[in-house]
Amino acid sequence: MDELEMAALRHKKRREKETQEPDDKKISRMFTKILLSIIFLLSSVIYIKLSPENLEYFKQTVLESNLTFTKINDWYHDVFGSILPSVKEPVDQTKMVSSENIETKEPYLDGYKIKASKSTPIKTLASGLFVFQGEKEGYGNVYIIQGVNGIDIWYGGLTDLSLKLYDYVEKDTILGNTIEDYYYLAFVKDGNFITYEEYQNQI
Amino acid sequence: MKNIKIKFKINLTTYIFFLIAFLCGYFKNVVYIFFIVFFHELGHIFFIKIFHYKIVKVEFYPFGGITTVDKPINSSINQELFISLGGILFQIILGIFLLFQNNELLSFYNQTILLFNLLPIIPLDGSVFLHAFFEKFFSYQKSFLLYQIFSFFFFLLFFLYNIFFSIDNYFICFVLFVQFLLVQKRKKYLFYRFYL
């Protein structure tokens, strides 16, 4: 930095010192912020306690559903280009390769149960963002992958996960190995379960 | 080292970049990039403190950081070379440490940012090597002119490379171009060094 810039910086600091806020204004601003946050907390508690539907809605939107990361990423990619500079070619989504024995599926709860040999590696059906890892009723340990077309795919009954949460995965990457000789699949679009035929039509 | 408080600033565009990246689902990538840039700037700060100079501010842009240091105008170019080497040295140490870890993404980002900083474009660290090289052989006036010409030439090459491989690096190219223009604005005061 040269002498001229140093002098300009000193001048700017001296002028900033003259127009600083007095202390009581700072305290009253902080007090207002504390009061506003208390009001927000009380109003949300009142909303939850009002009826059980409110509680269900709160739980669904805040604790369970995910923001549609892949859709926002796709939209941004179409308009501005990718947010992170990368040299990789994007994977062609329209090529559908059926995994080993997905035709042997049988309906199970809201999804499908597919037979496979014990401890076989299972590949992902489509690329997307890995958003959830945990217990779901009836399926056991479930991994949810949020796809780019708004359809989440649930994979149940797998172990030895090779990914970390919130990783972007490509199509046909190995997710894990089956525990017993079957694994579960379920397709969810906008919070509702859809069938495999509808999923095929959406691609 | 009495005065240890350093002013860290995060540029507005960095906040916007973080917000958009979080909305797109890239949590880990962005945190890794910021950590590597921070470590690189720590390298610069460490070597600046060896000379007991004052750091005016450290500003973080989306893919890099710029450290503004208050050093005498007629200090030799070797001091600047030493400070630039500091940032690169810290990144090399981090790279060696990461060889024993299993983190592929972090090592990839470390290598990419290290190679990017070695490009001879103003204001990256590679341009200081270019300037020092020219000053060994030519007079100050001629070496500074050659430094600007070669830096702009490499910047054009970098820009064409991005367009050819369609990497969306336009923000980085814009920042590099703006820094080049700022050097043009300040360059007439550099000759005050001959009065002191």
Side-chain angles (χ1 to χ4, degrees), chain B residues 137-155:
Chain B
F137 299 106
F138 302 104
S139 65
Y140 185 75
Q141 193 172 8
K142 210 177 267 187
S143 72
F144 192 70
L145 184 66
L146 279 174
Y147 167 55
Q148 287 173 74
I149 291 173
F150 270 75
S151 163
F152 192 67
F153 171 69
F154 281 114
F155 167 71

PDB file of all heavy atoms in Angstrom, chain B residues 137-155:
ATOM      1  N   PHE B 137      16.708  -8.798 -13.741  1.00  0.00           N
ATOM      2  CA  PHE B 137      17.430  -8.566 -14.980  1.00  0.00           C
ATOM      3  C   PHE B 137      17.250  -7.166 -15.535  1.00  0.00           C
ATOM      4  O   PHE B 137      18.072  -6.691 -16.296  1.00  0.00           O
ATOM      5  CB  PHE B 137      16.974  -9.572 -16.041  1.00  0.00           C
ATOM      6  CG  PHE B 137      17.227 -11.000 -15.648  1.00  0.00           C
ATOM      7  CD1 PHE B 137      16.181 -11.810 -15.252  1.00  0.00           C
ATOM      8  CD2 PHE B 137      18.505 -11.509 -15.638  1.00  0.00           C
ATOM      9  CE1 PHE B 137      16.408 -13.114 -14.881  1.00  0.00           C
ATOM     10  CE2 PHE B 137      18.752 -12.807 -15.276  1.00  0.00           C
ATOM     11  CZ  PHE B 137      17.702 -13.614 -14.893  1.00  0.00           C
ATOM     12  N   PHE B 138      16.135  -6.504 -15.239  1.00  0.00           N
ATOM     13  CA  PHE B 138      15.856  -5.218 -15.858  1.00  0.00           C
ATOM     14  C   PHE B 138      15.746  -4.135 -14.803  1.00  0.00           C
ATOM     15  O   PHE B 138      15.688  -4.405 -13.606  1.00  0.00           O
ATOM     16  CB  PHE B 138      14.536  -5.272 -16.639  1.00  0.00           C
ATOM     17  CG  PHE B 138      14.511  -6.312 -17.713  1.00  0.00           C
ATOM     18  CD1 PHE B 138      13.818  -7.483 -17.530  1.00  0.00           C
ATOM     19  CD2 PHE B 138      15.190  -6.116 -18.905  1.00  0.00           C
ATOM     20  CE1 PHE B 138      13.782  -8.437 -18.504  1.00  0.00           C
ATOM     21  CE2 PHE B 138      15.157  -7.070 -19.883  1.00  0.00           C
ATOM     22  CZ  PHE B 138      14.461  -8.236 -19.690  1.00  0.00           C
ATOM     23  N   SER B 139      15.675  -2.861 -15.279  1.00  0.00           N
ATOM     24  CA  SER B 139      15.474  -1.729 -14.379  1.00  0.00           C
ATOM     25  C   SER B 139      14.056  -1.788 -13.841  1.00  0.00           C
ATOM     26  O   SER B 139      13.210  -2.537 -14.318  1.00  0.00           O
ATOM     27  CB  SER B 139      15.697  -0.428 -15.128  1.00  0.00           C
ATOM     28  OG  SER B 139      14.703  -0.304 -16.112  1.00  0.00           O
ATOM     29  N   TYR B 140      13.777  -0.964 -12.799  1.00  0.00           N
ATOM     30  CA  TYR B 140      12.475  -1.034 -12.147  1.00  0.00           C
ATOM     31  C   TYR B 140      11.347  -0.683 -13.105  1.00  0.00           C
ATOM     32  O   TYR B 140      10.320  -1.357 -13.169  1.00  0.00           O
ATOM     33  CB  TYR B 140      12.452  -0.093 -10.942  1.00  0.00           C
ATOM     34  CG  TYR B 140      11.168  -0.212 -10.151  1.00  0.00           C
ATOM     35  CD1 TYR B 140      10.946  -1.301  -9.326  1.00  0.00           C
ATOM     36  CD2 TYR B 140      10.170   0.741 -10.264  1.00  0.00           C
ATOM     37  CE1 TYR B 140       9.777  -1.438  -8.634  1.00  0.00           C
ATOM     38  CE2 TYR B 140       8.991   0.613  -9.568  1.00  0.00           C
ATOM     39  CZ  TYR B 140       8.804  -0.478  -8.759  1.00  0.00           C
ATOM     40  OH  TYR B 140       7.638  -0.614  -8.074  1.00  0.00           O
ATOM     41  N   GLN B 141      11.571   0.374 -13.900  1.00  0.00           N
ATOM     42  CA  GLN B 141      10.517   0.826 -14.796  1.00  0.00           C
ATOM     43  C   GLN B 141      10.194  -0.249 -15.842  1.00  0.00           C
ATOM     44  O   GLN B 141       9.044  -0.604 -16.067  1.00  0.00           O
ATOM     45  CB  GLN B 141      10.990   2.103 -15.471  1.00  0.00           C
ATOM     46  CG  GLN B 141       9.906   2.856 -16.173  1.00  0.00           C
ATOM     47  CD  GLN B 141      10.432   4.198 -16.633  1.00  0.00           C
ATOM     48  OE1 GLN B 141      11.618   4.481 -16.554  1.00  0.00           O
ATOM     49  NE2 GLN B 141       9.546   5.023 -17.113  1.00  0.00           N
ATOM     50  N   LYS B 142      11.277  -0.807 -16.440  1.00  0.00           N
ATOM     51  CA  LYS B 142      11.071  -1.790 -17.495  1.00  0.00           C
ATOM     52  C   LYS B 142      10.461  -3.075 -16.926  1.00  0.00           C
ATOM     53  O   LYS B 142       9.576  -3.674 -17.540  1.00  0.00           O
ATOM     54  CB  LYS B 142      12.409  -2.103 -18.175  1.00  0.00           C
ATOM     55  CG  LYS B 142      12.279  -2.483 -19.626  1.00  0.00           C
ATOM     56  CD  LYS B 142      13.631  -2.710 -20.251  1.00  0.00           C
ATOM     57  CE  LYS B 142      14.124  -1.446 -20.900  1.00  0.00           C
ATOM     58  NZ  LYS B 142      15.358  -1.665 -21.651  1.00  0.00           N
ATOM     59  N   SER B 143      10.929  -3.482 -15.754  1.00  0.00           N
ATOM     60  CA  SER B 143      10.419  -4.741 -15.203  1.00  0.00           C
ATOM     61  C   SER B 143       8.953  -4.612 -14.833  1.00  0.00           C
ATOM     62  O   SER B 143       8.169  -5.548 -15.014  1.00  0.00           O
ATOM     63  CB  SER B 143      11.230  -5.169 -13.994  1.00  0.00           C
ATOM     64  OG  SER B 143      10.951  -4.331 -12.908  1.00  0.00           O
ATOM     65  N   PHE B 144       8.552  -3.433 -14.332  1.00  0.00           N
ATOM     66  CA  PHE B 144       7.145  -3.274 -13.984  1.00  0.00           C
ATOM     67  C   PHE B 144       6.273  -3.300 -15.229  1.00  0.00           C
ATOM     68  O   PHE B 144       5.176  -3.870 -15.233  1.00  0.00           O
ATOM     69  CB  PHE B 144       6.954  -1.963 -13.215  1.00  0.00           C
ATOM     70  CG  PHE B 144       5.609  -1.851 -12.580  1.00  0.00           C
ATOM     71  CD1 PHE B 144       5.272  -2.647 -11.500  1.00  0.00           C
ATOM     72  CD2 PHE B 144       4.653  -0.967 -13.057  1.00  0.00           C
ATOM     73  CE1 PHE B 144       4.032  -2.554 -10.907  1.00  0.00           C
ATOM     74  CE2 PHE B 144       3.415  -0.866 -12.475  1.00  0.00           C
ATOM     75  CZ  PHE B 144       3.103  -1.673 -11.403  1.00  0.00           C
ATOM     76  N   LEU B 145       6.780  -2.697 -16.326  1.00  0.00           N
ATOM     77  CA  LEU B 145       6.015  -2.710 -17.574  1.00  0.00           C
ATOM     78  C   LEU B 145       5.871  -4.132 -18.113  1.00  0.00           C
ATOM     79  O   LEU B 145       4.775  -4.566 -18.491  1.00  0.00           O
ATOM     80  CB  LEU B 145       6.725  -1.820 -18.596  1.00  0.00           C
ATOM     81  CG  LEU B 145       6.013  -1.629 -19.924  1.00  0.00           C
ATOM     82  CD1 LEU B 145       4.729  -0.860 -19.705  1.00  0.00           C
ATOM     83  CD2 LEU B 145       6.905  -0.912 -20.907  1.00  0.00           C
ATOM     84  N   LEU B 146       6.988  -4.893 -18.093  1.00  0.00           N
ATOM     85  CA  LEU B 146       6.931  -6.272 -18.566  1.00  0.00           C
ATOM     86  C   LEU B 146       5.997  -7.106 -17.702  1.00  0.00           C
ATOM     87  O   LEU B 146       5.255  -7.970 -18.199  1.00  0.00           O
ATOM     88  CB  LEU B 146       8.333  -6.892 -18.546  1.00  0.00           C
ATOM     89  CG  LEU B 146       9.227  -6.550 -19.714  1.00  0.00           C
ATOM     90  CD1 LEU B 146      10.610  -7.113 -19.468  1.00  0.00           C
ATOM     91  CD2 LEU B 146       8.660  -7.128 -20.991  1.00  0.00           C
ATOM     92  N   TYR B 147       6.048  -6.828 -16.364  1.00  0.00           N
ATOM     93  CA  TYR B 147       5.194  -7.541 -15.418  1.00  0.00           C
ATOM     94  C   TYR B 147       3.726  -7.355 -15.770  1.00  0.00           C
ATOM     95  O   TYR B 147       2.952  -8.316 -15.831  1.00  0.00           O
ATOM     96  CB  TYR B 147       5.536  -7.008 -14.031  1.00  0.00           C
ATOM     97  CG  TYR B 147       4.612  -7.336 -12.901  1.00  0.00           C
ATOM     98  CD1 TYR B 147       4.280  -8.639 -12.593  1.00  0.00           C
ATOM     99  CD2 TYR B 147       4.113  -6.320 -12.088  1.00  0.00           C
ATOM    100  CE1 TYR B 147       3.467  -8.926 -11.520  1.00  0.00           C
ATOM    101  CE2 TYR B 147       3.310  -6.600 -11.020  1.00  0.00           C
ATOM    102  CZ  TYR B 147       2.985  -7.905 -10.734  1.00  0.00           C
ATOM    103  OH  TYR B 147       2.195  -8.171  -9.668  1.00  0.00           O
ATOM    104  N   GLN B 148       3.343  -6.099 -16.081  1.00  0.00           N
ATOM    105  CA  GLN B 148       1.946  -5.866 -16.433  1.00  0.00           C
ATOM    106  C   GLN B 148       1.575  -6.549 -17.734  1.00  0.00           C
ATOM    107  O   GLN B 148       0.501  -7.167 -17.845  1.00  0.00           O
ATOM    108  CB  GLN B 148       1.691  -4.377 -16.589  1.00  0.00           C
ATOM    109  CG  GLN B 148       1.655  -3.605 -15.317  1.00  0.00           C
ATOM    110  CD  GLN B 148       1.571  -2.141 -15.619  1.00  0.00           C
ATOM    111  OE1 GLN B 148       0.543  -1.656 -16.013  1.00  0.00           O
ATOM    112  NE2 GLN B 148       2.665  -1.446 -15.449  1.00  0.00           N
ATOM    113  N   ILE B 149       2.457  -6.482 -18.724  1.00  0.00           N
ATOM    114  CA  ILE B 149       2.136  -7.038 -20.040  1.00  0.00           C
ATOM    115  C   ILE B 149       1.980  -8.550 -19.955  1.00  0.00           C
ATOM    116  O   ILE B 149       1.007  -9.122 -20.447  1.00  0.00           O
ATOM    117  CB  ILE B 149       3.225  -6.652 -21.061  1.00  0.00           C
ATOM    118  CG1 ILE B 149       3.174  -5.149 -21.339  1.00  0.00           C
ATOM    119  CG2 ILE B 149       3.044  -7.409 -22.355  1.00  0.00           C
ATOM    120  CD1 ILE B 149       4.309  -4.666 -22.202  1.00  0.00           C
ATOM    121  N   PHE B 150       2.958  -9.221 -19.294  1.00  0.00           N
ATOM    122  CA  PHE B 150       2.880 -10.671 -19.198  1.00  0.00           C
ATOM    123  C   PHE B 150       1.684 -11.111 -18.377  1.00  0.00           C
ATOM    124  O   PHE B 150       1.028 -12.101 -18.689  1.00  0.00           O
ATOM    125  CB  PHE B 150       4.175 -11.223 -18.584  1.00  0.00           C
ATOM    126  CG  PHE B 150       5.209 -11.530 -19.610  1.00  0.00           C
ATOM    127  CD1 PHE B 150       5.908 -10.510 -20.224  1.00  0.00           C
ATOM    128  CD2 PHE B 150       5.473 -12.831 -19.967  1.00  0.00           C
ATOM    129  CE1 PHE B 150       6.844 -10.789 -21.181  1.00  0.00           C
ATOM    130  CE2 PHE B 150       6.416 -13.115 -20.927  1.00  0.00           C
ATOM    131  CZ  PHE B 150       7.107 -12.096 -21.533  1.00  0.00           C
ATOM    132  N   SER B 151       1.378 -10.346 -17.316  1.00  0.00           N
ATOM    133  CA  SER B 151       0.244 -10.723 -16.474  1.00  0.00           C
ATOM    134  C   SER B 151      -1.054 -10.638 -17.257  1.00  0.00           C
ATOM    135  O   SER B 151      -1.904 -11.529 -17.168  1.00  0.00           O
ATOM    136  CB  SER B 151       0.213  -9.811 -15.259  1.00  0.00           C
ATOM    137  OG  SER B 151      -1.026  -9.882 -14.656  1.00  0.00           O
ATOM    138  N   PHE B 152      -1.201  -9.583 -18.071  1.00  0.00           N
ATOM    139  CA  PHE B 152      -2.425  -9.442 -18.858  1.00  0.00           C
ATOM    140  C   PHE B 152      -2.507 -10.529 -19.926  1.00  0.00           C
ATOM    141  O   PHE B 152      -3.580 -11.058 -20.205  1.00  0.00           O
ATOM    142  CB  PHE B 152      -2.470  -8.050 -19.497  1.00  0.00           C
ATOM    143  CG  PHE B 152      -3.802  -7.725 -20.081  1.00  0.00           C
ATOM    144  CD1 PHE B 152      -4.896  -7.552 -19.265  1.00  0.00           C
ATOM    145  CD2 PHE B 152      -3.959  -7.618 -21.451  1.00  0.00           C
ATOM    146  CE1 PHE B 152      -6.137  -7.266 -19.790  1.00  0.00           C
ATOM    147  CE2 PHE B 152      -5.203  -7.322 -21.992  1.00  0.00           C
ATOM    148  CZ  PHE B 152      -6.286  -7.143 -21.162  1.00  0.00           C
ATOM    149  N   PHE B 153      -1.343 -10.877 -20.499  1.00  0.00           N
ATOM    150  CA  PHE B 153      -1.302 -11.931 -21.507  1.00  0.00           C
ATOM    151  C   PHE B 153      -1.761 -13.264 -20.917  1.00  0.00           C
ATOM    152  O   PHE B 153      -2.578 -13.979 -21.500  1.00  0.00           O
ATOM    153  CB  PHE B 153       0.123 -12.005 -22.061  1.00  0.00           C
ATOM    154  CG  PHE B 153       0.370 -13.184 -22.942  1.00  0.00           C
ATOM    155  CD1 PHE B 153      -0.238 -13.266 -24.182  1.00  0.00           C
ATOM    156  CD2 PHE B 153       1.211 -14.202 -22.553  1.00  0.00           C
ATOM    157  CE1 PHE B 153      -0.016 -14.338 -25.003  1.00  0.00           C
ATOM    158  CE2 PHE B 153       1.454 -15.278 -23.368  1.00  0.00           C
ATOM    159  CZ  PHE B 153       0.831 -15.353 -24.586  1.00  0.00           C
ATOM    160  N   PHE B 154      -1.253 -13.596 -19.717  1.00  0.00           N
ATOM    161  CA  PHE B 154      -1.667 -14.844 -19.076  1.00  0.00           C
ATOM    162  C   PHE B 154      -3.131 -14.798 -18.662  1.00  0.00           C
ATOM    163  O   PHE B 154      -3.824 -15.815 -18.669  1.00  0.00           O
ATOM    164  CB  PHE B 154      -0.794 -15.140 -17.852  1.00  0.00           C
ATOM    165  CG  PHE B 154       0.539 -15.712 -18.220  1.00  0.00           C
ATOM    166  CD1 PHE B 154       1.707 -15.008 -17.989  1.00  0.00           C
ATOM    167  CD2 PHE B 154       0.620 -16.960 -18.797  1.00  0.00           C
ATOM    168  CE1 PHE B 154       2.935 -15.540 -18.333  1.00  0.00           C
ATOM    169  CE2 PHE B 154       1.836 -17.497 -19.141  1.00  0.00           C
ATOM    170  CZ  PHE B 154       2.997 -16.777 -18.915  1.00  0.00           C
ATOM    171  N   PHE B 155      -3.603 -13.593 -18.304  1.00  0.00           N
ATOM    172  CA  PHE B 155      -5.019 -13.477 -17.963  1.00  0.00           C
ATOM    173  C   PHE B 155      -5.885 -13.774 -19.190  1.00  0.00           C
ATOM    174  O   PHE B 155      -6.904 -14.463 -19.076  1.00  0.00           O
ATOM    175  CB  PHE B 155      -5.309 -12.067 -17.435  1.00  0.00           C
ATOM    176  CG  PHE B 155      -6.771 -11.756 -17.341  1.00  0.00           C
ATOM    177  CD1 PHE B 155      -7.552 -12.360 -16.380  1.00  0.00           C
ATOM    178  CD2 PHE B 155      -7.369 -10.877 -18.226  1.00  0.00           C
ATOM    179  CE1 PHE B 155      -8.898 -12.085 -16.285  1.00  0.00           C
ATOM    180  CE2 PHE B 155      -8.717 -10.606 -18.143  1.00  0.00           C
ATOM    181  CZ  PHE B 155      -9.490 -11.207 -17.171  1.00  0.00           C
TER     182      PHE B 155
END
